[in-house]
Amino acid sequence: MYRNNWLPEVFNDFLNNANMTKANATAPAINVLESEKEYTVELAAPGLSKEDFDVNINVDGDLTIKMEKKEENESEKNAHYLRREFSYSKYEQTLILPDDVDRDKIAARVNNGVLTVVLPKIGKQEQKMSRSIEVG
């Protein structure tokens, strides 16, 4: 199992997608950026529009990205292909999110062939903290 030694331990599961199932072997490139207020996931998606994506949080609280593109050109219906490899593409990826992601405020957009998913962090005052509870 690959571990990034320079990243916090909790974030390794978010980046380690070796055990995640993919619908095909050709996976788009993914960038993950971290700032003080958010994580940003960028996924290369040239030629795709927002209608080609399904981005959601599953029942386990993980981020699921699905994309599917079918291309059928009317002029190609009567054509005979000797080889056809690019008319259909499908991809699915699940990312285990760190605990400090505010799942209610996640946003996604497609621009210039890149799907960007913004994962805001929970503010320090909102984070779960352990505390003593006085028994009355």
Side-chain angles (χ1 to χ4, degrees):
M1 180 183 264
Y2 176 75
R3 290 282 189 208
N4 288 308
N5 294 331
W6 52 273
L7 288 173
E9 185 68 24
V10 69
F11 208 65
N12 283 330
D13 289 334
F14 178 62
L15 292 177
N16 180 23
N17 56 19
N19 297 327
M20 301 296 173
T21 347
K22 294 181 184 172
N24 69 8
T26 309
I30 294 180
N31 294 332
V32 179
L33 298 90
E34 180 183 12
S35 71
E36 187 177 314
K37 296 184 178 185
E38 64 192 19
Y39 302 104
T40 303
V41 176
E42 298 173 332
L43 187 134
L48 274 67
S49 65
K50 65 181 184 177
E51 291 79 21
D52 299 322
F53 289 95
D54 179 20
V55 179
N56 62 64
I57 300 296
N58 66 18
V59 293
D60 297 323
D62 302 329
L63 178 69
T64 301
I65 300 172
K66 296 178 185 177
M67 66 181 192
E68 185 171 358
K69 180 73 171 179
K70 287 184 181 180
E71 293 181 20
E72 188 172 319
N73 191 330
E74 288 296 323
S75 65
E76 294 177 355
K77 285 190 175 181
N78 295 326
H80 174 71
Y81 283 94
L82 298 177
R83 182 173 179 155
R84 185 175 184 178
E85 294 182 344
F86 62 88
S87 63
Y88 177 80
S89 61
K90 186 175 182 180
Y91 169 80
E92 182 175 338
Q93 179 70 55
T94 301
L95 300 173
I96 299 168
L97 298 178
D99 290 336
D100 63 344
V101 170
D102 188 343
R103 286 162 172 77
D104 293 329
K105 295 182 181 172
I106 294 173
R109 68 183 180 280
V110 176
N111 190 20
N112 294 327
V114 176
L115 170 69
T116 303
V117 182
V118 178
L119 310 165
K121 292 182 180 179
I122 297 171
K124 292 190 186 285
Q125 68 277 9
E126 299 175 43
Q127 284 184 359
K128 297 176 186 175
M129 300 179 78
S130 62
R131 65 183 181 94
S132 177
I133 298 173
E134 185 178 330
V135 178

